[in-house]
Amino acid sequence: EVQLVESGGGLVQPGRSLKLSCAASGFTFSDYAMAWVRQAPKKGLEWVATIIYDGSSTYYRDSVKGRFTISRDNAKSTLYLQMDSLRSEDTATYYCARTAGTGPDYWGQGVMVTVSS
Amino acid sequence: DIQMTQSPSFLSASVGDRVTINCKASQNINRYLNWYQQKLGEAPKLLIYNANSLQTGIPSRFSGSGSGTDFTLTISSLQPEDVATYFCLQHNSWPYTFGAGTKLELK
């Protein structure tokens, strides 16, 4: 059974950093691209970042470029999102998602990040 | 960015009803459109990929259609367990973008 479990969320002050993790199991992690998607309170979903299967290429939405870094450790079957210079508008539930050629197929349950002083 | 306009935003229907939800893309996305179901407190679940392909394990009452800019998710006979929020996603071009969601409730 495919499982994606996010962790590392919480309350953080504006301008500070936070690192999210997503532990994957039930599939060969190194075969898949992975992504982070977020949903702000009472707002729609936003694609944040993607990393291909071997980590050699990454993609970011414009609003997080230069502040967020997506990475992966295939030996540990874990996806990461390093979030620096956090802003109030980054407040959201963050989901990790496995991404196949047909788009994202499995998602985690999400982790909440609140940016507030 | 490609804009995805989803309608309706809210839907109330009875058990056994045929339900349709629509997504319109601001430009041609071929068939690169997925539909997801999200129940309260749960992870989103993939229902339909590439416009009309049923994900493994999803009941056959769910179906998808469309290509280009106009897409539809149909539930042929609504069941109580279908109460959820449904959303579409285009994965034709970066950044992938989502519809705003349709909250489906039982009448």
Side-chain angles (χ1 to χ4, degrees):
Chain A
E1 179 194 5
V2 172
Q3 283 201 316
L4 299 168
V5 179
E6 303 95 337
S7 61
L11 173 64
V12 61
Q13 293 179 327
R16 304 298 290 263
S17 299
L18 204 60
K19 187 172 186 176
L20 305 182
S21 300
C22 171
S25 60
F27 65 102
T28 303
F29 183 72
S30 56
D31 283 350
Y32 290 86
M34 298 293 295
W36 289 98
V37 179
R38 69 184 180 185
Q39 185 169 31
K42 300 192 189 306
K43 295 280 185 69
L45 289 152
E46 277 191 339
W47 198 274
V48 175
T50 293
I51 186 167
I52 68 169
Y53 70 102
D54 63 356
S56 60
S57 287
T58 57
Y59 306 88
Y60 299 92
R61 69 177 302 106
D62 286 347
S63 61
V64 307
K65 274 182 193 172
R67 299 189 300 122
F68 288 13
T69 304
I70 188 171
S71 63
R72 64 192 297 158
D73 185 336
N74 285 347
K76 294 183 178 179
S77 297
T78 303
L79 175 72
Y80 302 100
L81 185 67
Q82 176 68 44
M83 303 185 292
D84 299 324
S85 303
L86 281 161
R87 306 169 181 168
S88 58
E89 55 264 36
D90 296 318
T91 293
T93 297
Y94 285 74
Y95 299 93
C96 71
R98 188 180 86 165
T99 302
T102 53
D105 55 1
Y106 288 92
W107 300 55
Q109 290 202 299
V111 62
M112 185 68 200
V113 172
T114 303
V115 184
S116 175
S117 53
Chain B
D1 298 2
I2 296 175
Q3 306 303 314
M4 300 301 298
T5 303
Q6 186 172 342
S7 62
S9 54
F10 179 82
L11 187 54
S12 180
S14 301
V15 173
D17 281 354
R18 182 181 183 87
V19 169
T20 59
I21 299 169
N22 301 293
C23 263
K24 186 176 183 66
S26 60
Q27 62 191 72
N28 181 18
I29 58 169
N30 301 294
R31 290 184 175 274
Y32 296 112
L33 188 286
N34 292 359
W35 290 99
Y36 299 85
Q37 175 193 70
Q38 187 174 25
K39 297 183 179 179
L40 205 60
E42 297 185 9
K45 179 191 292 186
L46 176 64
L47 302 175
I48 302 287
Y49 62 92
N50 292 349
N52 60 6
S53 296
L54 189 68
Q55 174 71 346
T56 303
I58 300 301
S60 59
R61 64 179 179 274
F62 291 92
S63 64
S65 63
S67 65
T69 61
D70 292 287
F71 301 86
T72 299
L73 172 70
T74 300
I75 307 173
S76 60
S77 177
L78 186 68
Q79 300 303 302
E81 60 267 31
D82 300 336
V83 170
T85 296
Y86 294 83
F87 58 90
C88 61
L89 163 76
Q90 70 81 17
H91 59 100
N92 180 76
S93 59
W94 181 258
Y96 297 171
T97 47
F98 296 86
T102 296
K103 188 172 183 181
L104 175 58
E105 292 190 351
L106 282 180
K107 194 178 290 182

